[in-house]
Amino acid sequence: MKPTHIEHIGIAVSSLEESIKYYEQVLGLSCYAIEEVKDQKVRTAFFRVGDTKIELLESTDPDGPIARFIEKRGPGIHHLAFAVEDVAQSLRNAAGHGVRLVDELPRRGAEGLQIGFLHPGSTFGVLTEFCGSNKPD
Ligand code: ZN
């Protein structure tokens, strides 16, 4: 039930290309994957930093959630993802503690992993994601 590590930190950016340059040239990380997640209306770029990843999120749609986030709050940290063994169980546990869920059930996120979100209104302002190691059914 307890998260094992920070799986990734999601960062909303206006331009994937521009921000990849910063992570590669200034921080010396290398982007190992770029993936479009149609459900979420985003293109994502991934970097590894130890056990944790940086996930850059660029909107593919002016009405998508990342576009709306940037419009309201500017680019920056968007969400924090905890690695858990069982996403469904972690969601149920959070709901049992009165936390509002964005996802009642796990769904497929980037890299084919099971994910589920908790609402930031219930998590002290941090959009929180559970990220499993299993593919959804
Ligand atoms: Zn994420």
Side-chain angles (χ1 to χ4, degrees):
M1 182 90 52
K2 191 172 94 173
T4 54
H5 60 282
I6 303 288
E7 214 282 337
H8 63 270
I9 299 167
I11 299 175
V13 300
S14 306
S15 160
L16 219 50
E17 275 64 36
E18 286 298 307
S19 49
I20 286 173
K21 268 191 230 161
Y22 163 74
Y23 283 90
E24 292 196 328
Q25 294 172 7
V26 180
L27 298 184
L29 303 173
S30 37
C31 176
Y32 69 90
I34 292 181
E35 187 186 342
E36 183 166 349
V37 185
K38 291 229 163 77
D39 283 9
Q40 297 289 300
K41 299 175 177 166
V42 289
R43 279 203 315 144
T44 61
F46 287 94
F47 304 82
R48 281 193 189 89
V49 189
D51 287 342
T52 302
K53 297 164 194 160
I54 300 290
E55 176 188 42
L56 303 180
L57 302 150
E58 176 198 71
S59 190
T60 55
D61 182 321
D63 292 324
I66 292 298
R68 289 201 311 266
F69 176 88
I70 289 177
E71 209 175 276
K72 262 200 274 181
R73 302 173 64 168
I77 293 180
H78 177 259
H79 67 273
L80 192 59
F82 292 99
V84 297
E85 271 192 14
D86 186 331
V87 174
Q89 191 190 18
S90 296
L91 289 172
R92 279 197 304 273
N93 176 63
H97 285 85
V99 170
R100 185 172 154 203
L101 306 181
V102 174
D103 299 302
E104 297 289 328
L105 293 168
R107 60 190 163 88
R108 184 196 174 282
E111 301 190 302
L113 298 175
Q114 259 195 353
I115 62 165
F117 281 92
L118 307 181
H119 195 279
S122 288
T123 58
F124 303 90
V126 180
L127 177 59
T128 298
E129 177 181 1
F130 292 130
C131 202
S133 41
N134 302 327
K135 313 259 170 174
D137 303 325

